[in-house]
């Protein structure tokens, strides 16, 4: 004949069940956050942060400069501002002339 669990055992079992379900929910939330992050990235990748139009990537001396096809904003990736700042004045002029309309 199976023994009836004591009150303490019942409390323990309920707590374990709660912990188990909580973990599943937390994983669901994490996955949701990851999915949302992925969705946002797909939505925003190579889009202008100001107007949302497509960016045109131009490689100049290993610096990838992204220029908006609409508002003409220029965007840089991590470390690229530093790289641009190290260009000689003539290099900077050439970089800007890449974008200037003839
Ligand atoms: Zn723009």
């Amino acid at each position: 004949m199976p023994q009836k669990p004591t009150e303490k055992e019942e409390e323990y079992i309920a707590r374990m069940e709660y912990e188990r379900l909580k973990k599943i929910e937390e994983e669901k939330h994490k996955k949701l956050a990851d999915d949302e992050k992925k969705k946002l990235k797909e939505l925003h990748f190579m889009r202008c942060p100001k107007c949302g139009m497509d960016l045109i990537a131009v490689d100049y001396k290993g610096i990838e400069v992204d220029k908006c096809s609409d508002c003409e904003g220029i965007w840089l990736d991590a470390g690229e501002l530093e790289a641009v700042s190290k260009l000689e004045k003539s290099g900077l002029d050439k970089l800007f002339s890449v974008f200037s309309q003839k």
Side-chain angles (χ1 to χ4, degrees), residues 65-78:
V65 180
D66 303 318
K67 189 179 165 86
C68 178
S69 57
D70 196 60
C71 76
E72 311 251 312
I74 292 175
W75 314 103
L76 298 163
D77 286 345

Side-chain angles (χ1 to χ4, degrees), residues 31-81:
K31 196 180 173 303
L32 220 66
D34 287 348
D35 286 351
E36 184 67 13
K37 234 172 145 181
K38 226 166 102 185
K39 230 188 286 170
L40 283 174
K41 193 174 178 181
E42 273 165 22
L43 207 62
H44 293 274
F45 186 69
M46 287 309 278
R47 297 274 184 169
C48 175
K50 276 202 172 163
C51 71
M53 298 306 281
D54 285 332
L55 295 174
I56 299 165
V58 174
D59 202 297
Y60 178 74
K61 290 192 169 185
I63 305 165
E64 195 190 286
V65 180
D66 303 318
K67 189 179 165 86
C68 178
S69 57
D70 196 60
C71 76
E72 311 251 312
I74 292 175
W75 314 103
L76 298 163
D77 286 345
E80 289 178 343
L81 180 60

Side-chain angles (χ1 to χ4, degrees), residues 15-29:
R15 200 172 59 227
M16 291 310 276
E17 181 65 359
Y18 169 70
E19 294 288 333
R20 191 180 71 82
L21 293 172
K22 202 172 121 193
K23 221 175 191 170
I24 290 170
E25 283 307 309
E26 279 170 358
E27 253 147 53
K28 254 196 250 171
H29 292 181

